[in-house]
Amino acid sequence: MRVVLAEDLYLLREGLKQLLSAHGFSVVAAVDNGPDLLRALLDERPDVAVVDVRLPPTQTDEGLQAALAARRELPGLPVLVLSQHVERLYARELLADGTGGVGYLLKDRVFNAEQFVDAVRRVAAGGTAMDPDVIAKLFARSDQKVGRLTPREREVLELMAEGRSNGAIGQRLFLSESAVGKHTASIFGKLGLAASDDDNRRVLAVLAFLDGR
């Protein structure tokens, strides 16, 4: 699986290269600024991009904007964005076009190799990987909206919002996949959302609901 990596801190960039290589990924380009990232994405057309939000020259959201620009040229390009802080706007921009795998993780997650690699694989496969802290922040703003859910339904909804499939949710909560399906149907019914078998559309619907849109 071919990866383009963008991170301006040398030691972290090298560490991520080694981590990805150790798990069977091929890092075809590793860059440290926005313009080089955009060129690498368009030239290499990787299976997935792992991108730091803040890159030179502006050190604002250069990495995110380069990834979004590449997705406009290469629709559906899978992108996993790394950020130092929880910013709902980044997640919203990533999910806006509703196509291709997307992910948003806090940088702390890269120190958990299993969690980080799982997120990269999920995004590369066209899925969604949202950081639990981002989801927790959305839930904290949405207590009244989700108040009608049972504790178990809330657990299912949180994992659903992270981009987990019914099978993955079942494994995490020790439930059968059919039981998760029943909880999911109940959740969408209570929240007035249209049910979907497509995991990405399901995540979009849940995040839009939690974010008040």
Side-chain angles (χ1 to χ4, degrees):
M1 192 177 295
R2 301 169 69 256
V3 181
V4 165
L5 171 66
E7 167 57 55
D8 65 320
L9 298 177
Y10 175 78
L11 291 179
L12 182 54
R13 186 171 66 252
E14 291 301 305
L16 288 173
K17 282 174 61 178
Q18 292 183 26
L19 175 61
L20 290 166
S21 297
H23 285 82
F25 297 92
S26 174
V27 180
V28 295
V31 301
D32 63 1
N33 64 80
D36 283 351
L37 170 60
L38 181 56
R39 279 192 292 271
L41 292 173
L42 296 180
D43 290 344
E44 298 292 345
R45 297 175 178 252
D47 298 306
V48 62
V50 179
V51 177
D52 184 9
V53 166
R54 295 176 184 268
L55 290 176
T58 65
Q59 288 291 357
T60 53
D61 62 350
E62 197 84 7
L64 175 65
Q65 295 307 321
L68 292 173
R71 279 171 67 92
R72 287 192 287 272
E73 297 292 325
L74 303 171
L77 172 70
V79 175
L80 174 62
V81 165
L82 304 178
S83 177
Q84 195 71 41
H85 307 289
V86 175
E87 292 286 351
R88 294 196 318 279
L89 178 61
Y90 296 155
R92 186 184 305 162
E93 286 194 68
L94 267 177
L95 291 161
D97 65 9
T99 62
V102 294
Y104 175 32
L105 293 183
L106 294 182
K107 280 191 173 181
D108 288 349
R109 304 291 171 196
V110 305
F111 298 109
N112 182 324
E114 183 178 353
Q115 191 174 46
F116 173 64
V117 170
D118 173 67
V120 176
R121 292 192 189 283
R122 220 178 333 144
V123 170
T128 306
M130 301 302 293
D131 195 283
D133 284 353
V134 176
I135 304 306
K137 188 168 184 178
L138 289 174
F139 267 77
R141 298 173 61 251
S142 309
D143 278 341
Q144 289 184 337
K145 292 183 178 182
V146 298
R148 72 199 79 171
L149 303 181
T150 67
R152 176 61 87 187
E153 287 171 345
R154 184 178 174 119
E155 288 179 321
V156 170
L157 183 62
E158 288 175 354
L159 292 172
M160 194 191 308
E162 290 177 22
R164 307 284 178 180
S165 66
N166 282 3
I169 293 171
Q171 290 179 354
R172 179 73 67 88
L173 299 180
F174 304 102
L175 296 171
S176 68
E177 194 164 340
S178 61
V180 175
K182 290 177 182 177
H183 283 305
T184 299
S186 176
I187 290 166
F188 274 66
K190 289 180 179 179
L191 300 184
L193 299 174
S196 174
D197 292 329
D198 182 284
D199 289 340
N200 278 13
R201 291 186 181 280
R202 194 166 71 166
V203 173
L204 283 169
V206 171
L207 293 180
F209 176 82
L210 293 175
D211 204 24
R213 290 180 289 147

